[in-house]
Amino acid sequence: PEDAVAPVPAKENPVPPYPQEARSIGKTGTVVLKVIILADGTVSEVEVMRGEEPFVTAAVSTVKTWKYEPARYKGQAITVYRIVQIPFKLNV
């Protein structure tokens, strides 16, 4: 619903690890995921919308462990989906 309160990711959610094989060749990329967040704040489904390996595997396995303060509509926790972009950039 348009007037629902959006889910808020937990501060302790880990950042996906940079794949070593990509780091060693200087490869960068962005993974775009569609994430279903249940009313209890857990992630139930992760669908890859865009991205390439090895970043996709690292992003999906990490995002599945994330927790959220759930979205709310009229005070009730609800299930929603979110589009999440995860950049993999090397610090130069």
Side-chain angles (χ1 to χ4, degrees):
E2 284 187 23
D3 53 348
V5 176
V8 178
K11 288 178 176 41
E12 60 272 7
N13 285 348
V15 174
Y18 209 103
Q20 192 56 47
E21 62 269 34
R23 182 184 301 278
S24 65
I25 60 171
K27 185 175 180 178
T28 62
T30 299
V31 176
V32 180
L33 304 172
K34 180 177 177 179
V35 180
I36 305 289
I37 303 161
L38 298 179
D40 68 0
T42 59
V43 172
S44 72
E45 290 179 42
V46 178
E47 177 187 333
V48 178
M49 298 181 72
R50 193 170 70 236
E52 51 187 60
E53 291 298 348
F55 304 117
V56 167
T57 299
V60 169
S61 62
T62 301
V63 169
K64 283 182 177 179
T65 70
W66 284 5
K67 301 278 187 267
Y68 285 81
E69 177 63 37
R72 296 193 176 274
Y73 180 66
K74 295 184 178 174
Q76 297 295 311
I78 58 171
T79 296
V80 295
Y81 79 86
R82 270 280 177 260
I83 304 301
V84 178
Q85 288 193 29
I86 301 177
F88 287 88
K89 293 185 171 66
L90 291 166
N91 297 329
V92 196

